[in-house]
Amino acid sequence: MIQDIVKRLDPLPPKSKVIIFGGGFSGQRIASVGRNLGAKVLCSRRKKKSRGADFIFNTDTEVSNEIFEGATHVLSCIPPLSSGEDPVLNQLKTQLLNSKNLKWVGYLSTTGVYGDTKGDWVNEKSSPNPQQERSIRRFSCEKQWLETKLPVQILRLPGIYGPGRSAFESLLTGTVKMVDKPGQVFSRIHVDDIAGAVLFLINLYSQGKNPSIVNVSDNLPSNNLEVIAFAAKLAQKPLPTSVPFEIAKETMSPMALSFWQENRKIDNKLLCKTLGYSLIYPNFKYGLKDCFSKLDMN
């Protein structure tokens, strides 16, 4: 519930106005929490009739100056263009630079910028080494945002999950695949902790605690088989036979295969130890229990 997130956070400063570009899975959750913390929040979607569309932003539409009036915080959740350029900066850089009340600008990036570390840990001091095209584009956008000299904070996210987007969906439809690749781990973050971390970091930034890069990840990088097995136990569903990666990869899409080509663990000590954010779902077991409690089994 939203209140479970809100009760962990301080209210936003009076007259806060948050502009969120990209009202998808994460953007909508962040918007809801921001409103419950007392801020005016405007969230963009690409189409007028999309859920939660306060205004429209896409490559064919202009955003009125009125949207930016009194804006104190801006967050971009929008992925890069195929050219590696950032769509928000491409269209709205001048308006952002002219917004005199901005106290924080956030950009949701990916831990994919660290590349493959053969299962080793990475933190914010690790040198980025993006190898997938989508991660190269993300890293390019990170640099574009930082070069604006706005009060920018980059949040690097691993695999995102939450109610309606977890291991249960493929498990219950019978499409889950038990791919066995020994030593392979993935880091994750529940959507509620993305929202919680964003609003937590906004308040810290105004106090002068403002690292330019923050990893937002849970405490337990895990093998995918462990996650599926735990979901199956909760749902009381049988598990399919596991398939060795070398066989499974023959029928994987290029996108799916790319996820299995990188292996790293994300260190969240800066967020959780140094800055003091308390995770709502410290690992996948807590997070999957939440997803299961909200699952429609009909």
Side-chain angles (χ1 to χ4, degrees):
M1 294 176 62
I2 291 291
Q3 290 306 317
D4 293 331
I5 312 172
V6 170
K7 67 184 180 183
R8 295 166 169 261
L9 302 167
D10 293 327
L12 289 178
K15 298 184 179 180
S16 291
K17 180 179 178 181
V18 183
I19 311 299
I20 298 176
F21 289 96
F25 190 56
S26 300
Q28 287 296 323
R29 199 63 168 162
I30 296 164
S32 296
V33 176
R35 291 179 183 120
N36 276 269
L37 288 171
K40 179 178 182 179
V41 182
L42 298 179
C43 195
S44 85
R45 299 303 303 268
R46 286 179 290 181
K47 298 178 180 178
K48 285 184 180 181
K49 294 184 180 180
S50 298
R51 175 177 170 268
D54 297 302
F55 67 100
I56 306 305
F57 175 76
N58 56 47
T59 54
D60 302 318
T61 331
E62 289 188 8
V63 176
S64 71
N65 289 327
E66 184 181 350
I67 296 293
F68 287 96
E69 286 180 9
T72 54
H73 306 85
V74 168
L75 175 69
S76 176
C77 312
I78 297 180
L81 300 171
S82 58
S83 63
E85 294 177 297
D86 185 88
V88 177
L89 288 178
N90 253 16
Q91 290 180 236
L92 303 171
K93 184 176 180 179
T94 299
Q95 285 162 291
L96 286 165
L97 292 173
N98 289 337
S99 298
K100 304 304 180 185
N101 296 316
L102 282 183
K103 302 183 182 341
W104 179 88
V105 176
Y107 177 66
L108 297 191
S109 185
T110 172
T111 53
V113 301
Y114 294 114
D116 180 29
T117 65
K118 312 299 181 187
D120 286 345
W121 289 92
V122 293
N123 60 32
E124 291 82 357
K125 293 181 181 178
S126 303
S127 297
N129 183 29
Q131 291 149 28
Q132 305 292 339
E133 282 299 320
R134 63 181 181 277
S135 299
I136 292 170
R137 292 192 291 268
R138 281 286 187 184
F139 187 50
S140 172
C141 288
E142 285 189 9
K143 291 186 284 187
Q144 291 167 46
W145 278 103
L146 291 169
E147 286 167 1
T148 64
K149 305 303 181 184
L150 290 162
V152 171
Q153 194 162 54
I154 307 295
L155 281 64
R156 290 177 177 161
L157 311 178
I160 301 169
Y161 74 103
R165 189 182 293 189
S166 71
F168 291 110
E169 280 65 46
S170 59
L171 184 67
L172 296 178
T173 58
T175 58
V176 67
K177 294 180 180 178
M178 298 282 287
V179 179
D180 185 10
K181 188 178 183 185
Q184 179 82 27
V185 295
F186 297 96
S187 291
R188 298 166 184 82
I189 190 68
H190 191 290
V191 68
D192 285 359
D193 274 313
I194 297 174
V198 165
L199 277 303
F200 175 82
L201 290 169
I202 282 176
N203 270 327
L204 274 194
Y205 203 94
S206 64
Q207 301 168 26
K209 298 176 183 178
N210 52 7
S212 59
I213 307 286
V214 181
N215 292 333
V216 181
S217 182
D218 74 15
N219 294 333
L220 187 63
S222 308
N223 182 285
N224 214 41
L225 295 183
E226 295 177 84
V227 175
I228 298 169
F230 188 75
K233 183 179 178 181
L234 288 176
Q236 298 183 340
K237 294 291 181 180
L239 282 171
T241 304
S242 63
V243 180
F245 172 74
E246 293 303 317
I247 295 175
K249 72 178 184 181
E250 299 300 326
T251 56
M252 283 184 182
S253 68
M255 176 64 79
L257 185 59
S258 71
F259 283 105
W260 287 89
Q261 288 173 336
E262 296 187 349
N263 186 9
R264 59 184 167 267
K265 301 185 188 88
I266 305 303
D267 186 321
N268 66 8
K269 290 187 182 69
L270 174 60
L271 175 67
C272 297
K273 301 294 185 184
T274 305
L275 299 177
Y277 179 71
S278 177
L279 288 162
I280 304 166
Y281 304 106
N283 59 51
F284 72 86
K285 293 184 178 181
Y286 288 94
L288 285 180
K289 286 178 182 177
D290 169 70
C291 295
F292 184 67
S293 72
K294 296 166 183 170
L295 195 62
D296 183 359
M297 300 288 284
N298 296 322

Short mmCIF file of all heavy atoms in Angstrom, two decimals, residues 203-231:
data_model
loop_
_atom_site.label_atom_id
_atom_site.label_comp_id
_atom_site.label_asym_id
_atom_site.label_seq_id
_atom_site.Cartn_x
_atom_site.Cartn_y
_atom_site.Cartn_z
N ASN A 203 14.60 14.52 -0.62
CA ASN A 203 14.72 15.25 0.64
C ASN A 203 16.17 15.36 1.09
O ASN A 203 16.60 16.41 1.59
CB ASN A 203 13.87 14.58 1.72
CG ASN A 203 12.46 15.12 1.78
OD1 ASN A 203 12.23 16.31 1.52
ND2 ASN A 203 11.49 14.28 2.10
N LEU A 204 16.96 14.30 0.91
CA LEU A 204 18.37 14.35 1.32
C LEU A 204 19.15 15.36 0.50
O LEU A 204 20.06 16.03 1.01
CB LEU A 204 19.01 12.97 1.14
CG LEU A 204 18.89 11.96 2.27
CD1 LEU A 204 19.89 10.82 2.04
CD2 LEU A 204 19.14 12.57 3.64
N TYR A 205 18.82 15.45 -0.78
CA TYR A 205 19.55 16.34 -1.68
C TYR A 205 19.48 17.78 -1.17
O TYR A 205 20.48 18.51 -1.21
CB TYR A 205 18.97 16.25 -3.10
CG TYR A 205 19.93 16.66 -4.19
CD1 TYR A 205 20.70 15.70 -4.84
CD2 TYR A 205 20.05 17.98 -4.59
CE1 TYR A 205 21.58 16.05 -5.85
CE2 TYR A 205 20.92 18.35 -5.60
CZ TYR A 205 21.69 17.38 -6.23
OH TYR A 205 22.55 17.75 -7.24
N SER A 206 18.32 18.17 -0.68
CA SER A 206 18.16 19.54 -0.18
C SER A 206 18.95 19.78 1.10
O SER A 206 19.18 20.92 1.50
CB SER A 206 16.67 19.85 0.07
OG SER A 206 16.17 19.01 1.11
N GLN A 207 19.39 18.70 1.74
CA GLN A 207 20.20 18.80 2.96
C GLN A 207 21.70 18.75 2.66
O GLN A 207 22.52 18.69 3.57
CB GLN A 207 19.84 17.67 3.92
CG GLN A 207 18.38 17.65 4.35
CD GLN A 207 17.99 16.37 5.07
OE1 GLN A 207 18.84 15.70 5.68
NE2 GLN A 207 16.71 16.01 5.01
N GLY A 208 22.04 18.75 1.38
CA GLY A 208 23.45 18.72 1.00
C GLY A 208 24.04 17.33 0.86
O GLY A 208 25.23 17.18 0.60
N LYS A 209 23.22 16.29 1.03
CA LYS A 209 23.69 14.92 0.83
C LYS A 209 23.31 14.53 -0.59
O LYS A 209 22.20 14.05 -0.84
CB LYS A 209 23.06 13.99 1.86
CG LYS A 209 23.44 14.35 3.29
CD LYS A 209 22.72 13.46 4.30
CE LYS A 209 23.05 13.87 5.73
NZ LYS A 209 22.33 13.05 6.74
N ASN A 210 24.22 14.76 -1.51
CA ASN A 210 23.84 14.74 -2.92
C ASN A 210 24.83 14.03 -3.84
O ASN A 210 25.34 14.63 -4.79
CB ASN A 210 23.62 16.18 -3.40
CG ASN A 210 24.82 17.07 -3.08
OD1 ASN A 210 25.86 16.59 -2.61
ND2 ASN A 210 24.69 18.35 -3.32
N PRO A 211 25.12 12.76 -3.60
CA PRO A 211 25.98 12.03 -4.54
C PRO A 211 25.35 12.04 -5.93
O PRO A 211 24.14 11.94 -6.08
CB PRO A 211 26.04 10.62 -3.97
CG PRO A 211 24.84 10.51 -3.09
CD PRO A 211 24.59 11.87 -2.54
N SER A 212 26.19 12.16 -6.94
CA SER A 212 25.65 12.29 -8.31
C SER A 212 25.16 10.96 -8.87
O SER A 212 24.33 10.94 -9.77
CB SER A 212 26.71 12.88 -9.24
OG SER A 212 27.87 12.07 -9.26
N ILE A 213 25.67 9.83 -8.32
CA ILE A 213 25.26 8.51 -8.78
C ILE A 213 24.85 7.69 -7.56
O ILE A 213 25.57 7.64 -6.56
CB ILE A 213 26.40 7.76 -9.49
CG1 ILE A 213 27.01 8.61 -10.61
CG2 ILE A 213 25.93 6.41 -10.00
CD1 ILE A 213 26.18 8.75 -11.84
N VAL A 214 23.68 7.01 -7.65
CA VAL A 214 23.23 6.14 -6.56
C VAL A 214 22.67 4.85 -7.16
O VAL A 214 21.80 4.89 -8.03
CB VAL A 214 22.14 6.81 -5.68
CG1 VAL A 214 21.73 5.86 -4.54
CG2 VAL A 214 22.62 8.14 -5.11
N ASN A 215 23.17 3.70 -6.67
CA ASN A 215 22.58 2.41 -7.04
C ASN A 215 21.35 2.16 -6.17
O ASN A 215 21.43 2.27 -4.94
CB ASN A 215 23.58 1.27 -6.81
CG ASN A 215 24.75 1.32 -7.77
OD1 ASN A 215 24.65 1.83 -8.88
ND2 ASN A 215 25.88 0.78 -7.35
N VAL A 216 20.25 1.81 -6.81
CA VAL A 216 19.02 1.51 -6.08
C VAL A 216 18.70 0.03 -6.31
O VAL A 216 18.11 -0.34 -7.32
CB VAL A 216 17.86 2.41 -6.54
CG1 VAL A 216 16.59 2.09 -5.76
CG2 VAL A 216 18.23 3.89 -6.35
N SER A 217 19.13 -0.81 -5.37
CA SER A 217 19.02 -2.25 -5.52
C SER A 217 18.75 -2.87 -4.16
O SER A 217 19.03 -2.27 -3.13
CB SER A 217 20.33 -2.80 -6.09
OG SER A 217 20.27 -4.19 -6.29
N ASP A 218 18.19 -4.09 -4.15
CA ASP A 218 17.96 -4.74 -2.87
C ASP A 218 19.25 -5.38 -2.36
O ASP A 218 20.32 -5.25 -2.97
CB ASP A 218 16.76 -5.69 -2.92
CG ASP A 218 17.01 -6.99 -3.67
OD1 ASP A 218 18.18 -7.34 -3.92
OD2 ASP A 218 16.03 -7.69 -3.98
N ASN A 219 19.14 -6.11 -1.24
CA ASN A 219 20.33 -6.62 -0.56
C ASN A 219 20.85 -7.95 -1.08
O ASN A 219 21.94 -8.37 -0.70
CB ASN A 219 20.04 -6.81 0.94
CG ASN A 219 19.77 -5.50 1.66
OD1 ASN A 219 20.24 -4.45 1.25
ND2 ASN A 219 19.01 -5.57 2.74
N LEU A 220 20.06 -8.63 -1.93
CA LEU A 220 20.38 -10.03 -2.22
C LEU A 220 20.34 -10.35 -3.71
O LEU A 220 19.30 -10.80 -4.22
CB LEU A 220 19.39 -10.94 -1.46
CG LEU A 220 19.66 -12.44 -1.51
CD1 LEU A 220 20.99 -12.78 -0.86
CD2 LEU A 220 18.52 -13.20 -0.84
N PRO A 221 21.45 -10.16 -4.41
CA PRO A 221 21.51 -10.68 -5.78
C PRO A 221 21.30 -12.19 -5.74
O PRO A 221 21.85 -12.88 -4.87
CB PRO A 221 22.94 -10.33 -6.23
CG PRO A 221 23.38 -9.24 -5.29
CD PRO A 221 22.70 -9.52 -3.99
N SER A 222 20.50 -12.71 -6.67
CA SER A 222 20.09 -14.12 -6.57
C SER A 222 20.03 -14.79 -7.93
O SER A 222 19.80 -14.16 -8.95
CB SER A 222 18.71 -14.22 -5.91
OG SER A 222 18.67 -13.51 -4.70
N ASN A 223 20.19 -16.10 -7.89
CA ASN A 223 20.01 -16.93 -9.07
C ASN A 223 18.53 -16.96 -9.44
O ASN A 223 17.66 -17.04 -8.57
CB ASN A 223 20.51 -18.35 -8.76
CG ASN A 223 20.42 -19.27 -9.95
OD1 ASN A 223 19.34 -19.72 -10.31
ND2 ASN A 223 21.55 -19.56 -10.54
N ASN A 224 18.23 -16.93 -10.73
CA ASN A 224 16.84 -16.88 -11.17
C ASN A 224 16.04 -18.12 -10.75
O ASN A 224 14.83 -18.04 -10.50
CB ASN A 224 16.80 -16.72 -12.69
CG ASN A 224 15.62 -15.88 -13.14
OD1 ASN A 224 15.31 -14.88 -12.50
ND2 ASN A 224 14.97 -16.28 -14.21
N LEU A 225 16.70 -19.27 -10.65
CA LEU A 225 16.01 -20.49 -10.25
C LEU A 225 15.48 -20.39 -8.82
O LEU A 225 14.39 -20.88 -8.50
CB LEU A 225 16.93 -21.71 -10.36
CG LEU A 225 17.40 -22.09 -11.77
CD1 LEU A 225 18.25 -23.35 -11.72
CD2 LEU A 225 16.22 -22.29 -12.71
N GLU A 226 16.26 -19.72 -7.94
CA GLU A 226 15.81 -19.53 -6.56
C GLU A 226 14.53 -18.70 -6.51
O GLU A 226 13.62 -18.98 -5.72
CB GLU A 226 16.89 -18.80 -5.76
CG GLU A 226 18.19 -19.53 -5.54
CD GLU A 226 19.16 -18.63 -4.79
OE1 GLU A 226 19.08 -18.58 -3.55
OE2 GLU A 226 19.98 -17.96 -5.44
N VAL A 227 14.49 -17.67 -7.33
CA VAL A 227 13.33 -16.77 -7.35
C VAL A 227 12.09 -17.51 -7.83
O VAL A 227 11.01 -17.43 -7.21
CB VAL A 227 13.62 -15.55 -8.25
CG1 VAL A 227 12.39 -14.66 -8.37
CG2 VAL A 227 14.79 -14.74 -7.69
N ILE A 228 12.22 -18.25 -8.93
CA ILE A 228 11.07 -18.97 -9.47
C ILE A 228 10.61 -20.05 -8.50
O ILE A 228 9.40 -20.26 -8.29
CB ILE A 228 11.41 -19.58 -10.85
CG1 ILE A 228 11.75 -18.46 -11.85
CG2 ILE A 228 10.25 -20.40 -11.38
CD1 ILE A 228 12.35 -18.95 -13.14
N ALA A 229 11.56 -20.75 -7.89
CA ALA A 229 11.21 -21.81 -6.94
C ALA A 229 10.45 -21.25 -5.74
O ALA A 229 9.48 -21.85 -5.26
CB ALA A 229 12.47 -22.53 -6.47
N PHE A 230 10.86 -20.08 -5.26
CA PHE A 230 10.17 -19.48 -4.12
C PHE A 230 8.76 -19.04 -4.52
O PHE A 230 7.80 -19.22 -3.76
CB PHE A 230 10.97 -18.29 -3.59
CG PHE A 230 10.43 -17.73 -2.30
CD1 PHE A 230 10.62 -18.39 -1.11
CD2 PHE A 230 9.70 -16.55 -2.29
CE1 PHE A 230 10.11 -17.89 0.09
CE2 PHE A 230 9.18 -16.04 -1.11
CZ PHE A 230 9.39 -16.71 0.09
N ALA A 231 8.62 -18.47 -5.72
CA ALA A 231 7.30 -18.07 -6.21
C ALA A 231 6.39 -19.30 -6.35
O ALA A 231 5.21 -19.25 -5.99
CB ALA A 231 7.42 -17.34 -7.55
#
